[in-house]
Amino acid sequence: MVYLKNKFIYCSTIILCFCLLGSSLSAQQIKYTNGNGSWNPDSLGNHRVLVQFTGTGKIAKATIPWRRRDMNPEQKRIIVQDVKTGQKITNVKTVDINRESGTILFEPVSGKGNYYIYYMPYIYEGPNTYYPKGVYRKPENTATEQWLTAANDNMPLNCLVKEIQSINAFNSFYPMEVIATAAETKNLIDKNSNKPFLVFPEARENSIRMKNDLPQRWILKGLQNLFVDTALRGEYLAFQLGVFALHDIDDVTVSFTDLKNKQGKIIAAKNISCINTDGTKYDGTVFTNKVNVAKGQVQPMWCGIDVPQSAAPGIYTGKAIVHSGASSKEIVLQIKISEGITTNGGIDKPEDMTRLKWLNSTMAQENTVIAPYTALEVNDTVISFLGRKLFLNKDGFPAQVQTFFTPEMTSIGSKPNDLFTEPVHFHFLDEAGKQPLQWKTGGINFIKKEPGTVAWKCTSTSVALQMDVNAALEFDGFLSYTVKFTALEDVNFSDIMFHLPMQPEFTKYMMGLGQKGGNRPDTLQWKWDVAHKNQDGAWIGNVNAGVQFSLRDENYSRPLNTNFYLQKPLVLPTSWGNNNKGGIDIFKKGKSILVNAYSGSRNMKKGDVLYYNFNLLITPFHPINTEFQWNAKFFHKYAAIDTIKQTGATIINIHHATPINPYINYPFIEFKKMKDYIDEAHSKGEKVKIYNTIRELSNKAYEIHALRSLGHEIFSAGKGGGFSWLQEHIGDDYIAAWFVPALKDAAIVNSGMNRWHNYYVEGMNWLVQNVGIDGIYLDDVAFDRITMKRIKRVLTQNGHPGILDLHSANQYNKSDGFNNSANLYMEHFPYLNKLWFGEYFDYEKNNPDFFLTEVSGIPFGLMGEMLQDGGNAWRGMIYGMTNRMPWSDNADPTAIWKLWDDFGIKGSEMIGYWSSNCPVTTSNEKVLATVYKKKGSVLVSIASWATADTAVKLNIDWNKLGIDPSKATITAPAVKNFQPARIFSANEEIPVEKNKGWLLIIK
């Protein structure tokens, strides 16, 4: 076989011998070839057989030894086509169709010659083009009764099977998906019946793909005790050990000896590992995995030799030993180390599986402070961080949180904003509803004081319980608590409650627990419902002070999101949920707005343990960066650099399904084209970011079969289906995700927190260093803040801009578990530069408080842009937002960008309507005004939420503006598709159309 890496081109010949009773064709030479896209797979399928009719008469008979991996082939249609005319043949009869072979009789309408037999045709059903459902067509009978009567099943074969073709090389089953027959498999098992398992070494270019079948390749090769390969010095050499279980086997592991050459030089065993069982988790902790293999199944064990650059050239020999219980099997490794040296482990050739090493990367794990944040400072029990302070109570919980951000959110002031009215605390109620527990605390013990993390612990005891608190605050305002309660005696509680007593001033807005972002309701009653709702907390706050709380336990697992929540929902916390007895009430109590998280009645036996863990995110994270907003003008399309530059855009977001980034979340295949494009953009003053996230992964990823060998670590369990390639080559147990028809790019859904995140971080680093990307565009994300911090570090290293913007479709729907996008992704906000919220957001019907909390990002130190249907340009400018260009028909912000530049918005002070310091208001509370102030002039954005057209007068504090009203002019410059040119007097009523507004310059 000739294998050209990165092209999936092959030409293979294999001799298949069959004893065909009653036939002169006792042996056939069959080629597996590439059809080069020469037929329409969407009507004929991806696979066909070329047969040559050598007989006479009107009945041709061929037996095809196709060795298919798909189940129930007798339930799939057979289509026969005349090669000469292209005509579909109607007189067709099938006999004994099974996975190993099938016999087809057909009318050879053109006489002797070649005919195609298509054997897996399919059609696509909904729900839409991007989520296709591939359905294999059922058998049909189009033959005439007269012809069927003449078609004798027992007639001799008169066709030669010449080739088995796939629509292209990527769709080929050869060689690793051509199955061994049942007889071949039985013969192998019978000869080795005294062994619990067999081991088949396999090279990296032949990924083991089938779980329930042996490949015929292994039957032809026979059992091998030797694996031979070649590597460069410094290369990561991947290889496979295919374990075939003859009985159920448990805890399969692989150990290695040193590799030695004749001169006694060694490659140490510590440089060889198996990714299936050992490694490093995404959070830097040790990864171990137990591999069990059921009888009759195949388990690939992917291994890698990290060849030192200093290794002397030559042939090195050692052993890989596969273990299960008391049984083991040794495979001799014979590795030739070439003269050549690679300085990067060979990662520039991912088709060689060299990047599997990335799965165990620890890159950027150290929790160093990321700009614009500052190092944590500890003074007694007070911890200071950017714009905020945390005061600790003696039990380790927050006594107070202060923020110092100004109401405008453009700076950090000196006035503290106290978030709580009293310390955060728990209540334990006895059966009479009283709180009998008196706690004795051992005081706070700081166990870590680093610039990026301060951690402490505290143990408190009562007669009935011991409370162990372990907590950590990170430099961005993320505060995590592990709270362990241990019963010291049998005890009954009528309720266990957790209280966040908040200052009313800083509970104006709320988002989460079934509430869309906006004004907080006077009261809220919420119950756990993890089967349907991705809800375990909420954000409550004002623009310049707030907190997000999340309630979890030791079994927390990040659920799926973006249409897939119901397939992997939250795990109900044993503590907080308490068999759905728990819930959260929010209401006014005394001077506080109280968040009361209760878990209901429960009994604890002596020694029982419950974890009432929770996280707090203290907002805002930093002041808004208006200068970035005015300078960063985005263009969301792959186009010529000069064309983009003419629009005034400064940053290009390259989505997937484009020539330089074709495959979703796998931007490594066309990286040379990408680099050329980015180099040109940089030379012309433009920045380029690419679409790349974790949520689903393209089927074009070189490592996809190796990742599948890891069970459900990287890919989620699911019902399969979707695009035909997935059904034919992945098989089952996956969730089909986004599909791009033009590229046949079919993705499957990633699982939760796993080692693919390590690969992702390494990949980002490689793209920065080798391709020059200026950041990434995130389209929803399926990773947590640990991975986000690592990404930000590698993207911003050595002065790189590292721009991160996040798009989210509105998650407040059934499929997403009725969560709020901003609430879901708030843990990432400290590291983002911009929000694009987003798809399915309604900019016409929602109120200003919804815009402010769910769309704008301002209460968190961010600014955003609009997306759905071009957004609402008038309302957007109240928050400094425009829309995404080019996206929909009215998504052209260039006229507003020009106004910004003409006015000189750079360097202006943004004073939003939400601030009591805003110097311009209107006479109608439904028509809001935001001011962009500079010396001698201001830009005033007004937008209407009134139910009808109206007219307003401006209430102007001229002193705050620093403008003499007697000399002032109010001008509305002409802005295309926004407003006509107008001049207004200071006391004139300004007409405002429903859902629209004005941009006015006062100077």
Side-chain angles (χ1 to χ4, degrees), residues 282-283 362-371 373 450-453 474-476 761-762 764-765 768-769 776 784-804 830-831:
Y282 80 97
D283 59 1
T362 58
M363 177 176 284
Q365 282 287 7
E366 186 178 353
N367 200 35
T368 53
V369 177
I370 299 170
Y373 300 100
E450 296 176 355
T453 306
E474 298 185 27
F475 58 86
D476 60 358
V761 172
E762 285 275 5
M764 290 295 94
N765 179 67
V768 169
Q769 302 301 320
I776 53 176
D784 71 357
R785 54 181 279 104
I786 293 174
T787 301
M788 179 62 82
K789 287 187 294 181
R790 296 173 68 191
I791 292 167
K792 192 68 172 182
R793 290 187 182 103
V794 300
L795 289 175
T796 56
Q797 63 186 308
N798 302 322
H800 289 279
I803 303 167
L804 282 170
Y831 307 101

Side-chain angles (χ1 to χ4, degrees), residues 584-885:
I584 298 173
D585 292 337
I586 300 175
F587 56 94
K588 182 175 177 59
K589 183 179 181 181
K591 297 180 179 180
S592 303
I593 299 298
L594 183 64
V595 178
N596 173 40
Y598 61 90
S599 58
S601 61
R602 71 186 325 142
N603 304 326
M604 295 182 72
K605 298 294 185 181
K606 182 178 180 180
D608 283 354
V609 172
L610 289 171
Y611 283 89
Y612 280 83
N613 301 343
F614 62 92
N615 296 330
L616 302 178
L617 266 171
I618 301 167
T619 65
F621 301 110
H622 51 67
I624 58 175
N625 184 348
T626 55
E627 290 304 284
F628 176 82
Q629 187 77 355
W630 315 140
N631 285 303
K633 299 171 182 175
F634 285 79
F635 190 91
H636 282 259
K637 188 178 181 181
Y638 172 76
I641 305 296
D642 291 337
T643 301
I644 295 172
K645 194 170 180 64
Q646 290 173 4
T647 68
T650 59
I651 301 175
I652 307 167
N653 270 354
I654 300 295
H655 290 241
H656 69 98
T658 53
I660 64 173
N661 189 22
Y663 305 117
I664 191 167
N665 299 330
Y666 198 78
F668 305 116
I669 292 178
E670 297 292 353
F671 71 90
K672 292 180 181 178
K673 292 181 182 178
M674 185 184 293
K675 186 179 188 310
D676 290 343
Y677 185 87
I678 291 175
D679 286 347
E680 180 188 353
H682 287 170
S683 72
K684 296 177 178 179
E686 300 286 309
K687 292 182 172 62
V688 181
K689 299 166 52 267
I690 66 166
Y691 181 113
N692 189 29
T693 187
I694 290 177
R695 183 183 61 190
E696 64 249 284
L697 180 64
S698 170
N699 64 325
K700 298 299 196 307
Y702 296 116
E703 302 90 350
I704 192 165
H705 297 293
L707 300 179
R708 282 276 289 176
S709 80
L710 303 176
H712 295 139
E713 184 197 351
I714 307 298
F715 296 123
S716 288
K719 297 178 181 178
F723 181 54
S724 61
W725 188 94
L726 299 178
Q727 298 190 54
E728 292 169 14
H729 298 277
I730 300 298
D732 59 6
D733 195 22
Y734 61 88
I735 300 173
W738 189 258
F739 174 67
V740 179
L743 298 172
K744 307 298 184 187
D745 181 30
I748 57 178
V749 173
N750 295 119
S751 65
M753 313 310 297
N754 58 66
R755 288 181 295 163
W756 185 245
H757 300 193
N758 294 334
Y759 186 109
Y760 183 64
V761 172
E762 285 275 5
M764 290 295 94
N765 179 67
W766 187 86
L767 289 164
V768 169
Q769 302 301 320
N770 295 278
V771 182
I773 65 169
D774 295 300
I776 53 176
Y777 171 79
L778 296 167
D779 182 5
D780 287 294
V781 292
F783 51 80
D784 71 357
R785 54 181 279 104
I786 293 174
T787 301
M788 179 62 82
K789 287 187 294 181
R790 296 173 68 191
I791 292 167
K792 192 68 172 182
R793 290 187 182 103
V794 300
L795 289 175
T796 56
Q797 63 186 308
N798 302 322
H800 289 279
I803 303 167
L804 282 170
D805 44 299
L806 172 64
H807 156 64
S808 177
N810 196 337
Q811 307 274 309
Y812 196 84
N813 58 69
K814 178 181 178 180
S815 296
D816 296 312
F818 298 101
N819 204 343
N820 319 77
S821 293
N823 194 53
L824 178 66
Y825 295 126
M826 198 176 297
E827 63 179 345
H828 300 306
F829 283 12
Y831 307 101
L832 300 178
N833 298 89
K834 186 185 286 281
L835 297 177
W836 300 92
F837 287 1
E839 235 169 330
Y840 312 124
F841 281 77
D842 191 330
Y843 300 110
E844 300 298 320
K845 297 179 181 178
N846 283 299
N847 293 325
D849 51 299
F850 175 83
F851 269 80
L852 183 64
T853 54
E854 282 223 40
V855 180
S856 77
I858 287 170
F860 315 105
L862 290 170
M863 297 183 74
E865 306 287 12
M866 298 173 293
L867 194 156
Q868 184 70 41
D869 300 324
N872 181 305
W874 299 272
R875 291 176 175 179
M877 266 306 298
I878 291 285
Y879 308 95
M881 301 189 301
T882 56
N883 49 30
R884 187 160 92 172
M885 174 190 183

Side-chain angles (χ1 to χ4, degrees), residues 70 74 100 229 439 536 558 714 763 799 896 925 954 984:
D70 59 309
E74 72 282 359
E100 297 177 8
D229 211 336
W439 295 95
D536 64 0
R558 187 182 181 89
I714 307 298
I896 295 177
E925 64 178 6
L954 300 182
F984 299 101

Side-chain angles (χ1 to χ4, degrees), residues 335-570:
I335 310 300
K336 180 181 178 181
I337 307 302
S338 303
E339 291 280 352
I341 296 178
T342 176
T343 56
N344 58 6
I347 59 175
D348 291 342
K349 299 174 68 177
E351 65 272 21
D352 283 348
M353 304 296 163
T354 50
R355 295 184 181 182
L356 289 178
K357 179 181 178 180
W358 284 358
L359 290 175
N360 294 319
S361 171
T362 58
M363 177 176 284
Q365 282 287 7
E366 186 178 353
N367 200 35
T368 53
V369 177
I370 299 170
Y373 300 100
T374 55
L376 294 164
E377 297 180 3
V378 182
N379 182 5
D380 194 18
T381 57
V382 179
I383 309 172
S384 300
F385 50 111
L386 182 69
R388 292 153 291 175
K389 287 184 178 180
L390 170 66
F391 297 77
L392 294 178
N393 200 15
K394 61 182 180 180
D395 56 9
F397 296 127
Q400 184 58 270
V401 169
Q402 292 180 340
T403 74
F404 294 84
F405 296 95
T406 62
E408 296 75 39
M409 273 302 298
T410 54
S411 62
I412 298 172
S414 57
K415 178 185 176 183
N417 307 303
D418 290 338
L419 199 58
F420 297 124
T421 57
E422 59 177 312
V424 172
H425 56 273
F426 279 88
H427 287 291
F428 291 81
L429 303 184
D430 62 18
E431 293 175 299
K434 297 180 179 179
Q435 183 170 284
L437 301 183
Q438 301 296 317
W439 295 95
K440 180 180 180 181
T441 179
I444 295 172
N445 177 21
F446 285 97
I447 55 178
K448 181 185 291 186
K449 291 183 180 180
E450 296 176 355
T453 306
V454 172
W456 60 95
K457 62 181 181 179
C458 180
T459 297
S460 301
T461 56
S462 68
V463 174
L465 294 178
Q466 177 172 306
M467 177 173 67
D468 294 299
V469 174
N470 281 272
L473 175 68
E474 298 185 27
F475 58 86
D476 60 358
F478 177 73
L479 178 56
S480 60
Y481 276 90
T482 299
V483 185
K484 176 184 178 184
F485 290 103
T486 305
L488 303 179
E489 60 182 27
D490 293 353
V491 62
N492 300 328
F493 295 109
S494 62
D495 206 350
I496 300 175
M497 300 181 295
F498 173 68
H499 283 178
L500 293 172
M502 300 187 68
Q503 292 278 6
E505 179 184 355
F506 298 112
T507 62
K508 182 175 181 180
Y509 304 111
M510 177 181 170
M511 168 169 57
L513 301 180
Q515 297 292 307
K516 288 185 177 182
N519 293 320
R520 175 187 54 78
D522 291 336
T523 60
L524 178 107
Q525 294 180 327
W526 174 89
K527 297 283 289 183
W528 289 93
D529 181 12
V530 296
H532 305 98
K533 297 176 182 177
N534 187 8
Q535 298 171 9
D536 64 0
W539 172 80
I540 299 179
N542 205 331
V543 174
N544 57 338
V547 64
Q548 183 200 52
F549 61 90
S550 303
L551 309 181
R552 297 169 181 177
D553 69 2
E554 76 279 18
N555 297 314
Y556 173 78
S557 177
R558 187 182 181 89
L560 296 180
N561 60 291
T562 318
N563 301 325
F564 303 112
Y565 173 77
L566 298 178
Q567 300 187 53
K568 185 187 175 185
L570 283 166

